[in-house]
Amino acid sequence: LTGDAMDQDLALKHANERKHMMHISTIFHLRSWLAYIFGDYELASEMAEESKVVSLLSLAPLQLSNYIFVDGLVSFALAHKTNEIKWKTQACSTVEKMGSSA
């Protein structure tokens, strides 16, 4: 998220200094999306975890669905790549969460 319009390290520093946890969460969530899009699923998973600095229950329904959706994409990608039960379980969990929030 660093370019002409924004510097993610500076944005995170300012958000941390001001204790703007929602901003921090959003930055990590967007980084997770980008890492997924560019095929770095491990980084996407790390960023998704970092985005959970706020309770997901405090998010608006659309935001919550978006966070769950990205978690699901990353989990399915890692389940396919690694065949680890951890990712398969998490992928199934996100499907259940999406179904219950629909």
XYZ file of all heavy atoms in Angstrom:
801
model
N 0.812 -1.195 0.000
C 0.000 0.000 0.000
C 0.853 1.256 0.000
O 0.420 2.294 0.457
C -0.930 0.014 1.212
C -1.939 -1.105 1.320
C -2.735 -0.986 2.620
C -2.873 -1.128 0.144
N 2.050 1.123 -0.513
C 2.929 2.276 -0.562
C 3.095 2.710 -2.006
O 3.353 1.899 -2.882
C 4.303 1.949 0.061
O 4.098 1.630 1.432
C 5.257 3.106 -0.038
N 2.905 3.979 -2.242
C 3.037 4.542 -3.582
C 2.930 6.046 -3.512
O 3.175 6.654 -2.464
N 2.532 6.653 -4.633
C 2.427 8.112 -4.689
C 1.391 8.651 -3.711
O 1.569 9.718 -3.120
C 2.058 8.564 -6.107
C 3.188 8.318 -7.095
O 4.353 8.188 -6.656
O 2.903 8.241 -8.303
N 0.309 7.910 -3.517
C -0.802 8.411 -2.696
C -0.667 8.073 -1.214
O -1.285 8.712 -0.374
C -2.130 7.865 -3.225
N 0.123 7.068 -0.893
C 0.141 6.592 0.497
C 1.438 5.853 0.799
O 2.008 5.211 -0.070
C -1.037 5.646 0.710
C -1.125 5.050 2.072
S -2.564 3.951 2.168
C -2.125 3.000 3.571
N 1.853 5.940 2.050
C 2.969 5.151 2.567
C 2.421 4.335 3.730
O 2.081 4.889 4.777
C 4.097 6.076 3.028
C 5.294 5.314 3.580
O 5.111 4.259 4.223
O 6.423 5.791 3.368
N 2.318 3.010 3.544
C 1.668 2.174 4.558
C 2.393 2.207 5.894
O 1.756 2.180 6.945
C 1.504 0.741 4.067
C 2.783 -0.047 3.982
C 2.582 -1.432 3.424
O 1.518 -1.763 2.933
N 3.614 -2.235 3.497
N 3.711 2.268 5.880
C 4.449 2.296 7.145
C 4.153 3.579 7.922
O 3.936 3.549 9.134
C 5.953 2.145 6.894
C 6.300 0.788 6.310
O 5.611 -0.204 6.638
O 7.258 0.717 5.509
N 4.107 4.687 7.207
C 3.790 5.962 7.845
C 2.338 5.981 8.326
O 2.051 6.437 9.443
C 4.042 7.108 6.859
C 3.944 8.526 7.410
C 4.910 8.731 8.569
C 4.228 9.524 6.301
N 1.432 5.453 7.511
C 0.015 5.397 7.904
C -0.164 4.532 9.151
O -0.912 4.896 10.067
C -0.827 4.853 6.754
N 0.518 3.380 9.198
C 0.429 2.509 10.379
C 1.033 3.187 11.606
O 0.491 3.084 12.709
C 1.129 1.175 10.117
C 0.329 0.160 9.335
C 1.209 -1.024 8.923
C -0.863 -0.325 10.124
N 2.146 3.886 11.409
C 2.787 4.586 12.525
C 1.831 5.621 13.118
O 1.634 5.676 14.336
C 4.073 5.257 12.046
C 4.791 6.029 13.117
C 6.037 6.707 12.566
C 6.673 7.527 13.666
N 7.123 8.813 13.222
N 1.220 6.433 12.251
C 0.287 7.459 12.736
C -0.941 6.827 13.401
O -1.401 7.305 14.440
C -0.150 8.374 11.597
C 0.927 9.301 11.115
N 1.617 10.157 11.933
C 1.444 9.490 9.880
C 2.505 10.835 11.249
N 2.426 10.448 9.987
N -1.458 5.763 12.816
C -2.630 5.094 13.401
C -2.285 4.505 14.762
O -3.088 4.582 15.700
C -3.146 4.013 12.454
N -1.101 3.918 14.882
C -0.663 3.365 16.175
C -0.505 4.463 17.217
O -0.926 4.293 18.359
C 0.654 2.600 16.013
C 0.449 1.161 15.662
O -0.427 0.495 16.202
N 1.249 0.654 14.741
N 0.115 5.563 16.820
C 0.314 6.672 17.755
C -1.006 7.215 18.282
O -1.117 7.601 19.432
C 1.101 7.800 17.074
C 2.558 7.471 16.839
C 3.261 8.502 15.956
O 2.595 9.430 15.434
O 4.483 8.351 15.780
N -2.006 7.223 17.425
C -3.310 7.771 17.791
C -4.284 6.703 18.280
O -5.438 6.997 18.545
C -3.893 8.528 16.598
C -3.108 9.782 16.274
C -3.551 10.397 14.960
N -2.833 11.621 14.652
C -1.623 11.685 14.118
N -0.962 10.581 13.848
N -1.052 12.847 13.861
N -3.814 5.472 18.323
C -4.634 4.335 18.772
C -5.899 4.171 17.921
O -6.962 3.844 18.437
C -5.002 4.477 20.250
C -3.819 4.697 21.162
C -3.461 3.460 21.901
C -2.411 3.712 22.956
N -1.061 3.545 22.491
N -5.790 4.409 16.633
C -6.897 4.231 15.689
C -6.894 2.786 15.203
O -6.416 2.472 14.106
C -6.781 5.193 14.511
C -6.996 6.615 14.877
N -6.644 7.647 14.056
C -7.540 7.202 15.981
C -6.951 8.793 14.629
N -7.488 8.547 15.801
N -7.434 1.916 16.027
C -7.372 0.485 15.755
C -8.136 0.098 14.486
O -7.750 -0.812 13.769
C -7.884 -0.313 16.958
C -7.128 -0.018 18.248
S -5.319 0.012 18.064
C -4.972 -1.722 17.978
N -9.217 0.800 14.185
C -9.976 0.488 12.976
C -9.153 0.795 11.731
O -9.201 0.049 10.755
C -11.296 1.248 12.962
C -12.228 0.723 11.935
S -12.410 -1.062 12.169
C -14.057 -1.277 11.777
N -8.384 1.873 11.756
C -7.508 2.197 10.622
C -6.443 1.121 10.456
O -6.151 0.703 9.328
C -6.842 3.558 10.813
C -7.792 4.705 10.737
N -7.420 5.989 11.014
C -9.107 4.778 10.412
C -8.442 6.798 10.874
N -9.489 6.075 10.521
N -5.870 0.697 11.571
C -4.848 -0.355 11.528
C -5.448 -1.624 10.943
O -4.863 -2.256 10.059
C -4.274 -0.608 12.940
C -3.524 0.636 13.433
C -3.379 -1.841 12.952
C -3.187 0.612 14.905
N -6.614 -1.989 11.411
C -7.299 -3.181 10.921
C -7.549 -3.091 9.416
O -7.305 -4.045 8.669
C -8.621 -3.376 11.664
O -9.322 -4.476 11.153
N -8.014 -1.928 8.965
C -8.312 -1.745 7.538
C -7.054 -1.841 6.690
O -7.064 -2.470 5.619
C -9.006 -0.381 7.315
O -10.213 -0.361 8.078
C -9.307 -0.149 5.856
N -5.961 -1.258 7.145
C -4.704 -1.335 6.388
C -4.262 -2.786 6.239
O -3.914 -3.236 5.144
C -3.610 -0.471 7.052
C -3.946 1.014 6.885
C -2.228 -0.792 6.468
C -3.103 1.945 7.730
N -4.287 -3.540 7.333
C -3.882 -4.944 7.247
C -4.851 -5.763 6.392
O -4.441 -6.662 5.661
C -3.723 -5.559 8.638
C -2.433 -5.187 9.306
C -2.434 -4.407 10.453
C -1.215 -5.605 8.800
C -1.249 -4.049 11.071
C -0.016 -5.258 9.402
C -0.033 -4.472 10.544
N -6.135 -5.431 6.471
C -7.117 -6.136 5.642
C -6.841 -5.898 4.156
O -6.857 -6.842 3.357
C -8.536 -5.687 6.008
C -9.596 -6.314 5.181
N -9.873 -7.661 5.216
C -10.438 -5.781 4.260
C -10.852 -7.927 4.355
N -11.206 -6.803 3.767
N -6.578 -4.662 3.794
C -6.270 -4.348 2.399
C -4.967 -5.007 1.952
O -4.855 -5.480 0.814
C -6.211 -2.830 2.196
C -7.542 -2.101 2.362
C -7.336 -0.588 2.316
C -8.548 -2.557 1.315
N -3.995 -5.066 2.851
C -2.746 -5.759 2.530
C -2.995 -7.249 2.312
O -2.369 -7.868 1.449
C -1.720 -5.542 3.648
C -1.208 -4.114 3.700
C -0.267 -3.894 4.855
N 1.006 -4.562 4.601
C 1.984 -4.622 5.488
N 1.856 -4.059 6.679
N 3.110 -5.244 5.195
N -3.921 -7.808 3.082
C -4.280 -9.212 2.901
C -4.885 -9.438 1.520
O -4.543 -10.402 0.822
C -5.261 -9.643 3.999
O -5.626 -10.989 3.839
N -5.812 -8.564 1.125
C -6.412 -8.643 -0.211
C -5.327 -8.621 -1.285
O -5.319 -9.451 -2.204
C -7.328 -7.448 -0.443
C -8.799 -7.676 -0.342
C -9.633 -7.084 0.566
C -9.642 -8.498 -1.162
N -10.926 -7.503 0.352
C -10.959 -8.366 -0.709
C -9.390 -9.343 -2.238
C -12.029 -9.030 -1.284
C -10.460 -10.011 -2.813
C -11.763 -9.850 -2.334
N -4.427 -7.652 -1.193
C -3.385 -7.511 -2.211
C -2.454 -8.716 -2.242
O -2.097 -9.201 -3.324
C -2.580 -6.227 -1.979
C -3.311 -4.939 -2.315
C -2.501 -3.727 -1.869
C -3.596 -4.871 -3.812
N -2.075 -9.199 -1.090
C -1.207 -10.382 -1.048
C -1.915 -11.572 -1.687
O -1.304 -12.338 -2.450
C -0.809 -10.704 0.393
N -3.196 -11.726 -1.421
C -3.961 -12.818 -2.042
C -3.990 -12.648 -3.568
O -3.725 -13.593 -4.306
C -5.390 -12.869 -1.495
C -6.236 -13.869 -2.245
C -6.150 -15.223 -1.941
C -7.062 -13.464 -3.290
C -6.885 -16.153 -2.670
C -7.804 -14.388 -4.001
C -7.706 -15.728 -3.695
O -8.427 -16.642 -4.423
N -4.306 -11.453 -4.024
C -4.393 -11.189 -5.460
C -3.075 -11.526 -6.153
O -3.068 -12.079 -7.260
C -4.798 -9.721 -5.717
C -6.267 -9.510 -5.325
C -4.557 -9.314 -7.169
C -6.693 -8.060 -5.250
N -1.958 -11.227 -5.500
C -0.655 -11.476 -6.101
C -0.088 -12.857 -5.763
O 1.068 -13.151 -6.056
C 0.327 -10.364 -5.742
C 0.014 -9.078 -6.467
C -0.613 -8.038 -5.810
C 0.311 -8.934 -7.808
C -0.929 -6.857 -6.478
C -0.003 -7.764 -8.491
C -0.620 -6.726 -7.820
N -0.917 -13.711 -5.163
C -0.541 -15.110 -4.956
C 0.363 -15.396 -3.778
O 0.871 -16.510 -3.650
N 0.553 -14.431 -2.894
C 1.375 -14.661 -1.700
C 0.421 -15.003 -0.553
O 0.097 -14.164 0.294
C 2.213 -13.429 -1.378
C 3.278 -13.709 -0.323
O 3.156 -14.720 0.408
O 4.228 -12.913 -0.233
N -0.031 -16.252 -0.540
C -1.083 -16.673 0.383
C -0.616 -16.692 1.833
O -1.406 -16.420 2.735
C -1.635 -18.035 -0.028
C -2.102 -18.057 -1.461
C -1.671 -19.030 -2.348
C -2.975 -17.077 -1.949
C -2.086 -19.034 -3.666
C -3.391 -17.075 -3.261
C -2.946 -18.059 -4.123
O -3.355 -18.056 -5.424
N 0.649 -17.006 2.058
C 1.160 -16.995 3.427
C 1.129 -15.571 3.992
O 0.699 -15.350 5.123
C 2.575 -17.576 3.493
C 2.656 -19.066 3.259
C 2.629 -19.467 1.778
O 2.699 -18.573 0.885
O 2.515 -20.669 1.503
N 1.589 -14.615 3.185
C 1.549 -13.220 3.621
C 0.105 -12.767 3.800
O -0.215 -12.069 4.768
C 2.269 -12.314 2.617
C 2.254 -10.824 2.945
C 2.942 -10.555 4.289
C 2.916 -10.025 1.828
N -0.764 -13.177 2.906
C -2.186 -12.830 3.017
C -2.757 -13.331 4.337
O -3.508 -12.621 5.010
C -2.967 -13.405 1.835
N -2.364 -14.543 4.715
C -2.831 -15.105 5.985
C -2.308 -14.299 7.172
O -3.054 -14.003 8.113
C -2.378 -16.564 6.098
O -2.687 -17.071 7.365
N -1.038 -13.929 7.120
C -0.448 -13.131 8.199
C -1.152 -11.782 8.323
O -1.457 -11.331 9.433
C 1.045 -12.905 7.937
C 1.894 -14.145 8.053
C 3.323 -13.906 7.588
O 3.781 -12.738 7.603
O 3.975 -14.882 7.196
N -1.405 -11.154 7.190
C -2.065 -9.846 7.202
C -3.504 -9.958 7.687
O -3.998 -9.087 8.407
C -2.024 -9.198 5.818
C -0.628 -8.846 5.317
S 0.232 -7.646 6.352
C 1.371 -8.703 7.261
N -4.177 -11.041 7.321
C -5.552 -11.258 7.797
C -5.567 -11.388 9.317
O -6.453 -10.850 9.983
C -6.153 -12.496 7.136
N -4.583 -12.078 9.865
C -4.505 -12.198 11.327
C -4.225 -10.843 11.969
O -4.821 -10.504 12.988
C -3.430 -13.212 11.738
C -3.858 -14.649 11.590
C -5.141 -14.962 12.367
O -5.232 -14.643 13.566
O -6.061 -15.519 11.741
N -3.314 -10.082 11.376
C -2.995 -8.748 11.906
C -4.214 -7.827 11.859
O -4.349 -6.929 12.689
C -1.845 -8.116 11.117
C -0.517 -8.800 11.288
C 0.150 -8.513 12.613
O -0.254 -7.564 13.315
O 1.079 -9.250 12.955
N -5.092 -8.044 10.883
C -6.266 -7.176 10.747
C -7.256 -7.359 11.891
O -8.151 -6.539 12.073
C -6.972 -7.427 9.411
O -7.698 -8.639 9.422
N -7.075 -8.406 12.656
C -8.017 -8.705 13.736
C -7.635 -8.005 15.041
O -7.901 -8.511 16.121
C -8.128 -10.213 13.910
C -8.750 -10.859 12.677
C -8.785 -12.348 12.742
C -9.413 -12.859 11.458
N -8.784 -14.028 10.948
N -7.068 -6.793 14.922
C -6.753 -6.004 16.116
C -8.013 -5.428 16.739
O -7.980 -4.929 17.849
C -5.736 -4.870 15.814
C -4.394 -5.424 15.427
C -6.280 -3.907 14.781
N -9.109 -5.486 16.001
C -10.415 -5.093 16.527
C -11.303 -6.328 16.506
O -11.081 -7.253 15.729
C -11.078 -3.962 15.705
C -10.272 -2.691 15.782
C -11.309 -4.371 14.277
N -12.302 -6.326 17.350
C -13.257 -7.428 17.335
C -14.024 -7.376 16.026
O -14.565 -6.330 15.645
C -14.227 -7.302 18.505
O -15.307 -8.189 18.329
N -14.073 -8.503 15.328
C -14.812 -8.540 14.073
C -16.289 -8.256 14.303
O -16.973 -7.791 13.399
C -14.614 -9.882 13.373
C -13.191 -10.169 12.884
C -13.147 -11.476 12.107
C -12.636 -9.038 12.045
N -16.772 -8.494 15.497
C -18.177 -8.217 15.804
C -18.477 -6.724 15.838
O -19.634 -6.322 15.749
C -18.564 -8.875 17.124
C -18.449 -10.401 17.159
C -18.760 -10.918 18.554
C -19.360 -11.032 16.126
N -17.426 -5.899 15.952
C -17.632 -4.449 15.969
C -17.744 -3.870 14.558
O -18.030 -2.689 14.397
C -16.488 -3.760 16.719
O -15.280 -3.884 15.985
N -17.519 -4.705 13.546
C -17.578 -4.242 12.164
C -19.016 -4.178 11.670
O -19.872 -4.936 12.107
C -16.782 -5.181 11.253
C -15.293 -5.346 11.552
C -14.694 -6.415 10.657
C -14.555 -4.034 11.393
N -19.246 -3.272 10.740
C -20.549 -3.216 10.073
C -20.727 -4.521 9.292
O -19.747 -5.153 8.898
C -20.590 -2.021 9.127
N -21.974 -4.949 9.064
C -22.201 -6.232 8.393
C -21.464 -6.397 7.059
O -20.908 -7.463 6.789
C -23.718 -6.264 8.191
C -24.251 -5.425 9.308
C -23.231 -4.338 9.500
N -21.421 -5.361 6.243
C -20.719 -5.470 4.963
C -19.227 -5.648 5.164
O -18.590 -6.469 4.499
C -20.995 -4.239 4.092
C -20.354 -4.256 2.705
C -20.836 -5.471 1.899
C -20.656 -2.975 1.959
N -18.658 -4.910 6.108
C -17.236 -5.054 6.419
C -16.945 -6.454 6.950
O -15.961 -7.079 6.559
C -16.793 -4.033 7.471
C -16.579 -2.651 6.972
C -16.147 -1.767 8.123
O -16.869 -1.635 9.116
N -14.977 -1.169 8.004
N -17.777 -6.917 7.853
C -17.594 -8.243 8.430
C -17.608 -9.301 7.335
O -16.737 -10.173 7.300
C -18.680 -8.533 9.469
C -18.643 -9.923 10.107
C -17.318 -10.168 10.819
C -19.814 -10.092 11.063
N -18.559 -9.206 6.428
C -18.633 -10.170 5.325
C -17.378 -10.119 4.470
O -16.877 -11.155 4.029
C -19.856 -9.888 4.449
O -21.031 -10.088 5.180
N -16.852 -8.922 4.258
C -15.642 -8.780 3.459
C -14.444 -9.432 4.144
O -13.652 -10.120 3.499
C -15.379 -7.290 3.183
C -14.356 -7.077 2.108
O -13.192 -7.392 2.280
N -14.800 -6.514 0.995
N -14.295 -9.232 5.437
C -13.200 -9.843 6.193
C -13.319 -11.372 6.134
O -12.334 -12.068 5.905
C -13.232 -9.385 7.650
C -12.524 -8.074 7.933
C -12.905 -6.887 7.305
C -11.487 -8.021 8.850
C -12.279 -5.690 7.589
C -10.847 -6.818 9.145
C -11.249 -5.660 8.504
O -10.612 -4.470 8.783
N -14.523 -11.879 6.352
C -14.737 -13.331 6.324
C -14.454 -13.875 4.927
O -13.823 -14.929 4.780
C -16.168 -13.682 6.775
C -16.369 -13.320 8.245
C -16.455 -15.164 6.554
C -17.822 -13.374 8.705
N -14.895 -13.163 3.903
C -14.685 -13.585 2.524
C -13.195 -13.717 2.208
O -12.752 -14.723 1.653
C -15.360 -12.599 1.567
C -15.213 -12.954 0.120
C -15.859 -14.064 -0.405
C -14.438 -12.178 -0.720
C -15.724 -14.402 -1.746
C -14.308 -12.505 -2.059
C -14.949 -13.614 -2.576
N -12.425 -12.708 2.584
C -10.975 -12.755 2.325
C -10.340 -13.888 3.117
O -9.495 -14.626 2.587
C -10.303 -11.405 2.635
C -8.788 -11.504 2.540
C -10.821 -10.339 1.688
N -10.740 -14.062 4.371
C -10.236 -15.198 5.160
C -10.513 -16.509 4.438
O -9.658 -17.400 4.393
C -10.887 -15.245 6.547
C -10.253 -14.290 7.542
O -9.190 -13.720 7.233
O -10.829 -14.127 8.626
N -11.711 -16.627 3.870
C -12.081 -17.835 3.145
C -11.235 -18.036 1.903
O -10.748 -19.144 1.649
N -11.048 -16.986 1.122
C -10.217 -17.093 -0.084
C -8.818 -17.571 0.264
O -8.278 -18.487 -0.377
C -10.133 -15.741 -0.798
C -11.371 -15.225 -1.494
C -11.115 -13.818 -2.041
C -11.784 -16.158 -2.623
N -8.239 -16.948 1.266
C -6.875 -17.294 1.679
C -6.829 -18.725 2.212
O -5.935 -19.502 1.868
C -6.348 -16.288 2.735
C -5.021 -16.742 3.309
C -6.243 -14.892 2.122
N -7.808 -19.089 3.022
C -7.839 -20.441 3.596
C -7.974 -21.514 2.521
O -7.291 -22.531 2.560
C -8.988 -20.567 4.604
O -8.801 -19.682 5.668
N -8.875 -21.286 1.561
C -9.031 -22.252 0.479
C -7.765 -22.363 -0.366
O -7.359 -23.457 -0.753
C -10.238 -21.902 -0.404
C -11.530 -22.436 0.117
C -12.434 -21.598 0.750
C -11.853 -23.775 -0.012
C -13.634 -22.088 1.246
C -13.051 -24.277 0.480
C -13.939 -23.429 1.110
N -7.126 -21.220 -0.631
C -5.885 -21.237 -1.417
C -4.793 -22.009 -0.681
O -4.087 -22.834 -1.288
C -5.431 -19.810 -1.715
N -4.659 -21.764 0.622
C -3.633 -22.466 1.392
C -3.985 -23.939 1.590
O -3.089 -24.792 1.596
C -3.398 -21.771 2.735
C -2.600 -20.474 2.621
C -2.645 -19.696 3.933
C -1.163 -20.744 2.209
N -5.262 -24.251 1.713
C -5.673 -25.659 1.817
C -5.309 -26.403 0.532
O -4.811 -27.530 0.574
C -7.181 -25.759 2.078
N -5.538 -25.757 -0.594
C -5.210 -26.366 -1.887
C -3.696 -26.510 -2.050
O -3.207 -27.542 -2.530
C -5.784 -25.517 -3.021
C -5.476 -26.038 -4.376
N -6.094 -27.155 -4.893
C -4.605 -25.607 -5.321
C -5.610 -27.388 -6.101
N -4.710 -26.462 -6.378
N -2.965 -25.480 -1.632
C -1.507 -25.469 -1.805
C -0.798 -26.436 -0.864
O 0.129 -27.131 -1.279
C -0.984 -24.045 -1.580
C 0.497 -23.893 -1.766
C 0.920 -22.452 -1.578
C 2.422 -22.300 -1.725
N 2.856 -20.921 -1.524
N -1.238 -26.495 0.405
C -0.499 -27.257 1.415
C -1.158 -28.576 1.802
O -0.504 -29.432 2.381
C -0.343 -26.432 2.708
O -1.624 -26.240 3.305
C 0.334 -25.097 2.435
N -2.456 -28.683 1.552
C -3.240 -29.860 1.953
C -3.263 -30.056 3.473
O -3.496 -31.159 3.965
C -2.736 -31.129 1.250
C -3.835 -32.166 1.109
O -5.012 -31.836 1.004
N -3.448 -33.424 1.115
N -3.037 -28.976 4.224
C -3.037 -29.042 5.687
C -4.465 -28.947 6.217
O -5.270 -28.145 5.743
C -2.196 -27.916 6.285
C -0.717 -28.070 6.040
C 0.084 -26.930 6.650
O -0.422 -26.238 7.567
O 1.216 -26.732 6.198
N -4.750 -29.745 7.221
C -6.084 -29.784 7.815
C -6.462 -28.435 8.429
O -7.631 -28.044 8.425
C -6.207 -30.937 8.846
C -7.663 -31.169 9.232
C -5.373 -30.658 10.070
C -8.487 -31.800 8.167
N -5.464 -27.709 8.960
C -5.701 -26.390 9.560
C -6.431 -25.475 8.574
O -7.411 -24.824 8.931
C -4.366 -25.758 9.953
C -4.421 -24.291 10.278
C -3.027 -23.721 10.465
C -3.080 -22.223 10.638
N -1.760 -21.635 10.829
N -5.954 -25.431 7.342
C -6.539 -24.545 6.337
C -7.885 -25.058 5.854
O -8.793 -24.276 5.579
C -5.573 -24.323 5.184
C -4.316 -23.687 5.647
C -3.055 -24.223 5.608
C -4.177 -22.408 6.269
N -2.155 -23.352 6.160
C -2.815 -22.231 6.578
C -5.066 -21.393 6.598
C -2.332 -21.073 7.187
C -4.595 -20.253 7.205
C -3.232 -20.094 7.499
N -8.027 -26.382 5.768
C -9.314 -26.955 5.359
C -10.388 -26.637 6.400
O -11.512 -26.268 6.054
C -9.193 -28.462 5.165
C -8.331 -28.843 3.986
C -8.185 -30.345 3.879
C -7.298 -30.720 2.718
N -7.124 -32.162 2.573
N -10.016 -26.760 7.661
C -10.948 -26.460 8.754
C -11.338 -24.988 8.741
O -12.524 -24.643 8.870
C -10.316 -26.837 10.107
O -9.955 -28.217 10.086
C -11.255 -26.559 11.258
N -10.349 -24.135 8.575
C -10.628 -22.695 8.558
C -11.476 -22.328 7.342
O -12.381 -21.498 7.439
C -9.319 -21.903 8.548
C -9.531 -20.424 8.767
C -8.235 -19.694 9.042
O -7.332 -20.218 9.680
N -8.144 -18.468 8.562
N -11.216 -22.957 6.203
C -12.005 -22.683 4.996
C -13.464 -23.073 5.220
O -14.377 -22.302 4.881
C -11.415 -23.437 3.805
N -13.697 -24.241 5.794
C -15.070 -24.682 6.079
C -15.754 -23.744 7.068
O -16.939 -23.436 6.930
C -15.075 -26.106 6.611
S -14.647 -27.330 5.348
N -14.994 -23.266 8.037
C -15.537 -22.342 9.026
C -15.993 -21.038 8.373
O -17.050 -20.499 8.716
C -14.491 -22.055 10.097
O -14.913 -21.061 10.976
N -15.212 -20.543 7.406
C -15.603 -19.298 6.759
C -16.874 -19.489 5.915
O -17.694 -18.576 5.838
C -14.482 -18.719 5.870
O -14.132 -19.660 4.852
C -13.260 -18.345 6.690
N -17.025 -20.660 5.319
C -18.251 -20.934 4.556
C -19.456 -20.892 5.492
O -20.503 -20.310 5.166
C -18.165 -22.292 3.811
C -19.513 -22.697 3.239
C -17.109 -22.235 2.729
N -19.327 -21.513 6.665
C -20.408 -21.493 7.650
C -20.715 -20.062 8.104
O -21.878 -19.674 8.217
C -20.032 -22.351 8.863
C -19.997 -23.837 8.554
C -19.460 -24.658 9.720
O -19.272 -24.108 10.833
O -19.207 -25.860 9.503
N -19.667 -19.269 8.355
C -19.863 -17.881 8.792
C -20.563 -17.071 7.706
O -21.452 -16.262 8.004
C -18.531 -17.227 9.139
C -17.923 -17.738 10.416
C -16.566 -17.076 10.643
C -15.854 -17.688 11.836
N -14.483 -17.144 11.989
N -20.141 -17.267 6.461
C -20.789 -16.529 5.364
C -22.251 -16.936 5.234
O -23.101 -16.084 4.990
C -20.047 -16.769 4.038
C -18.720 -16.071 3.914
S -18.792 -14.273 4.008
C -19.473 -13.881 2.408
N -22.532 -18.224 5.415
C -23.900 -18.694 5.329
C -24.777 -18.112 6.421
O -25.933 -17.751 6.185
N -24.218 -17.981 7.609
C -25.012 -17.458 8.719
C -25.174 -15.946 8.658
O -26.104 -15.403 9.247
C -24.395 -17.862 10.062
O -23.145 -17.233 10.243
N -24.294 -15.266 7.932
C -24.422 -13.811 7.845
C -25.183 -13.374 6.598
O -25.418 -12.187 6.399
C -23.039 -13.152 7.861
O -22.321 -13.437 6.692
N -25.588 -14.347 5.765
C -26.291 -13.993 4.525
C -27.724 -13.598 4.789
O -28.348 -13.910 5.718
C -26.257 -15.171 3.564
